[in-house]
Amino acid sequence: MQALRGMRDVLPEEARRWRMVERAIVDVLDRFAYEEVRLPLLEAAELFTRGIGAATDIVEKEMFGLSDRDGDSIALRPEGTASCVRALLQHGLLHNQSQRIHYRGPMFRSERPQLGRHRQFHQVGAEAFGMVGPDVDAELIQMGAEIWRVLGIEGEIQLELNTLGCSEARAAWRGALVRYLRPRQGDLDGDSAKRLERNPLRILDSKFPATRSLLAEAPKFADYIDDDSVRHYEGLKRLLDGLGVAYVENPLLVRGLDYYSRTVFEWTTERLGAQGAVCAGGRYDGLAEIIGGKPVPGVGFALGLERTLLLHEAVHGAGAPPPVDVYCCVLQPEHQGVAMARVRALRDGLPNLRFRVHAGGGRLKNQMRRADQCGARWALLFGEDELRENRMGLKDLRNETPQETLGLAALVERLRTAGMDST
RNA sequence: GUGGGCGUAGCUCAAUGGGUAGAGCUCCGGGUUGUGAUCCCGGGGGUUGCGGGUUCGAGUCCCGUCGUCCACCCCA
C-alpha cells in the first residue's frame, strides 16, 4: 500500500521544520491582529463553481468532487477564500463591520504532481473585509513582506503587482479583446484558441511567440480601466513606496480565479522552477455577492506552505532542530518508576525543555548512544549511586565539561541557566 | 490533462555486450562491571515498484500499470 498520488506524508524530521515555519507565519498574522478561523475541508461544490468561476481550470478540471448520500455535489476545497467568505457571511460577521481574518490548512487540487505541487497542499491565508481603500491592500502586502523577513527568505522572493480594474472595465476590455482576437483565431496557439471564449484574459500570458506578437497590437487595458481603479492603484503604490516594499509592475499578471478585481499581486521565486508562485492574492469586492450575500469588499492572499518550506530549506539548509533536549538513562530496570516520577517534576520546573525517558532497558552504553543520536544536549543518569543520595547525574553531550551529580532543585537551576544560552 | 526522465537494502548509489544482486552510511551484537559521537571485529537486511511478455536465462530487452521528477499546463 502506498499513499495516493500527490498525497504526501510529512515525517518527523520534516514536520519539525513545518512547525517552526508555520509558527513564524502565524506569529506575524497575530501581531497584525488578524484573527483565526478554522473552516471545513468539504463544502457544497456550488460554492466553488460560483465563487471561483465555472470556467476556471481549478473548477473545471482540478476539483475533487464527490456526492454525499443525498446525491448533492460536494467538493474538497481547492482554496480557502470562498470558504472563508461563506463562513463569515453565514454567521453574520460581515454585517456592517470589518474583519481581519486568517486561516490555514490543506487544500485539494487534482493536478499532475511535481516538486512544490501536490494534490493535497497547504496554505495560510489572510483576508480583510469591509474596507475599500488601498490601505488595507498595502497592509496585506506589508504582512507578506514581514513573513519573508521573519523566515529569512526575503532575498529569494519578489513582488509582482497589477490592477485588473473594476469588473465593468474588465468586462469591456475583455469584450474588445475577444472582438480583436476572434478574426485572428487561426494564428493563436491551441490553448489560447480554447480560452478565447471561456477565459480570454488568460491568453495574455501565453508563452507562444505567435500569440505574443498578435497581442502586441491588441486592445490595451489602459484604455479601458476606470478612474477609481487607477486612483486605487496609484494609492497602493504610494503606500508601498512609503513602506519600502519593492515591487515589479506586471500588466500580464492575471489571477486564475474569476473573483478578483482591482489589486492583484504575487510573490514569486526563481528557485522553484515552474512552481514559482509562493504567495498570491488580490482584491475581490464582488465575491460576497456572488456567494449570495450583500456586497462586501474583500482583499486577501494565500501562501503555499510547501513552497515556502522549500525556500526556507534552500536558504537555511536541511538541518532541523533536535527533537529532544534531555535524554534520561535508567541503569537498573527497578528504577524506571522513580526516574519517570522525577522527570515529571523536571518537566514541571522546566516547561521549555523536552525530556525523553529511555524505555526498554538495556545497557547504559546503548542508552547513551540513543541520547547522542536523538540530538539531545544532555544525558541525565538515574543510577544506583546517584539515587542513593537522591541525586541525578548530568552529562553535557555537546561540551567537554565534567559530569555533575545534582539534586532536583540544583538540576532545575542548572538546566534553566544553561537552557537559556543554548536556545 | 500532454510529452519526457527515473524507480535496485531503511538512505545514497553500483552491477561489463542479458548469465541467478554489491558497496558506503544506517541498524544490531561484541571489544569484561555505569558512559555517546571516533576506532577495530562480527552480523542482519532486497520477490530489483507491481503485472505480463521475449529468452535456456531478465535488475538489464518489450508491453502494461503504479509512483515520482522535469517541461508544458495550472496555480499557492
Side-chain angles (χ1 to χ4, degrees):
Chain A
M1 294 296 282
Q2 55 187 339
L4 292 172
R5 160 178 273 203
M7 304 288 167
R8 274 178 15 98
D9 302 306
V10 179
L11 302 177
E13 195 179 346
E14 196 187 344
R16 276 182 260 153
R17 182 186 297 277
W18 277 68
R19 285 187 15 150
M20 261 170 50
V21 168
E22 274 185 300
R23 187 163 72 179
I25 294 170
V26 171
D27 272 358
V28 172
L29 301 177
D30 266 344
R31 287 188 285 116
F32 277 78
Y34 278 61
E35 294 192 88
E36 182 175 8
V37 292
R38 302 204 172 212
L39 303 166
L41 273 54
L42 279 170
E43 295 276 1
E46 192 191 356
L47 174 65
F48 304 116
T49 53
R50 273 166 57 182
I52 299 172
T56 59
D57 284 4
I58 293 177
V59 166
E60 202 168 62
K61 45 192 200 195
E62 294 173 0
M63 203 155 73
F64 279 101
L66 47 152
S67 34
D68 69 7
R69 293 180 185 213
D70 302 327
D72 296 334
S73 287
I74 58 180
L76 285 165
R77 62 181 185 191
E79 58 107 45
T81 300
S83 302
C84 184
V85 173
R86 190 230 83 227
L88 298 185
L89 282 174
Q90 180 179 332
H91 298 286
L93 296 181
L94 297 181
H95 190 73
N96 292 337
Q97 55 193 308
S98 63
Q99 294 287 352
R100 287 170 162 94
I101 297 293
H102 77 266
Y103 58 83
R104 62 181 149 149
M107 309 292 165
F108 303 84
R109 292 182 201 173
S110 182
E111 301 183 276
R112 185 107 164 227
Q114 231 170 288
L115 189 68
R117 180 167 86 172
H118 312 286
R119 290 184 169 192
Q120 176 179 330
F121 62 104
H122 298 78
Q123 290 186 334
V124 177
E127 317 280 358
F129 299 96
M131 292 161 277
V132 293
D135 45 3
V136 72
D137 302 23
E139 175 178 88
L140 283 154
I141 289 171
Q142 182 191 24
M143 210 154 60
E146 178 67 4
I147 289 169
W148 315 136
R149 193 186 67 76
V150 164
L151 293 175
I153 58 176
E154 70 274 26
E156 304 299 327
I157 296 180
Q158 69 161 5
L159 174 63
E160 294 182 40
L161 197 62
N162 190 25
T163 181
L164 300 176
C166 70
S167 54
E168 291 78 16
R170 193 148 53 118
W173 175 45
R174 176 187 156 129
L177 198 63
V178 173
R179 278 193 300 280
Y180 167 81
L181 287 173
R182 194 177 283 140
R184 300 164 175 81
Q185 192 164 5
D187 298 331
L188 290 174
D189 61 276
D191 279 333
S192 294
K194 267 182 252 166
R195 289 190 191 120
L196 186 53
E197 301 302 330
R198 299 223 298 271
N199 205 348
L201 297 190
R202 292 223 57 87
I203 298 173
L204 293 173
D205 52 12
S206 167
K207 289 172 184 165
F208 287 85
T211 302
R212 296 199 73 108
S213 61
L214 210 54
L215 288 169
E217 303 297 319
K220 295 285 178 291
F221 183 52
D223 299 328
Y224 292 85
I225 188 169
D226 54 298
D227 292 344
D228 283 349
S229 290
V230 172
R231 273 193 294 277
H232 187 102
Y233 190 48
E234 296 301 326
L236 171 60
K237 287 193 285 185
R238 262 197 308 279
L239 281 164
L240 292 178
D241 291 339
L243 290 167
V245 176
Y247 54 87
V248 176
E249 291 184 72
N250 176 3
L252 297 183
L253 180 62
V254 180
R255 311 265 70 258
L257 297 74
D258 281 356
Y259 53 59
Y260 286 112
S261 58
R262 293 201 171 156
T263 308
V264 289
F265 58 91
E266 187 164 313
W267 298 92
T268 60
T269 181
E270 306 286 312
R271 292 188 77 141
L272 267 35
Q275 258 54 56
V278 179
C279 172
R283 180 162 279 278
Y284 46 86
D285 293 340
L287 180 58
E289 199 171 7
I290 292 169
I291 289 175
K294 289 184 179 167
V296 178
V299 54
F301 68 75
L303 74 80
L305 260 180
E306 282 84 352
R307 292 175 188 184
T308 303
L309 284 156
L310 286 168
L311 281 183
H312 188 266
E313 182 168 354
V315 169
H316 295 98
V324 179
D325 297 306
V326 185
Y327 195 94
C328 307
C329 304
V330 185
L331 277 77
Q332 310 293 331
E334 63 268 28
H335 295 146
Q336 188 80 23
V338 181
M340 291 169 75
R342 195 67 55 87
V343 173
R344 182 180 59 188
L346 287 168
R347 290 196 184 101
D348 281 347
L350 296 158
N352 293 323
L353 291 184
R354 294 154 303 174
F355 290 82
R356 177 177 286 175
V357 180
H358 182 82
R363 297 167 51 180
L364 177 59
K365 180 187 167 94
N366 291 326
Q367 298 192 28
M368 290 296 286
R369 189 162 71 232
R370 295 283 163 77
D372 182 57
Q373 282 170 343
C374 71
R377 164 127 187 230
W378 291 284
L380 188 62
L381 277 63
F382 292 86
E384 220 164 351
D385 299 345
E386 288 85 354
L387 288 172
R388 194 178 303 120
E389 311 168 29
N390 208 21
R391 302 207 282 182
M392 292 157 278
L394 180 70
K395 176 161 183 174
D396 188 329
L397 296 172
R398 308 302 158 196
N399 292 296
E400 294 290 332
T401 50
Q403 185 168 323
E404 299 172 80
T405 305
L406 301 164
L408 186 62
L411 183 62
V412 168
E413 201 43 46
R414 178 80 184 74
L415 289 175
R416 180 172 288 144
T417 51
M420 291 296 205
D421 51 45
S422 80
T423 55

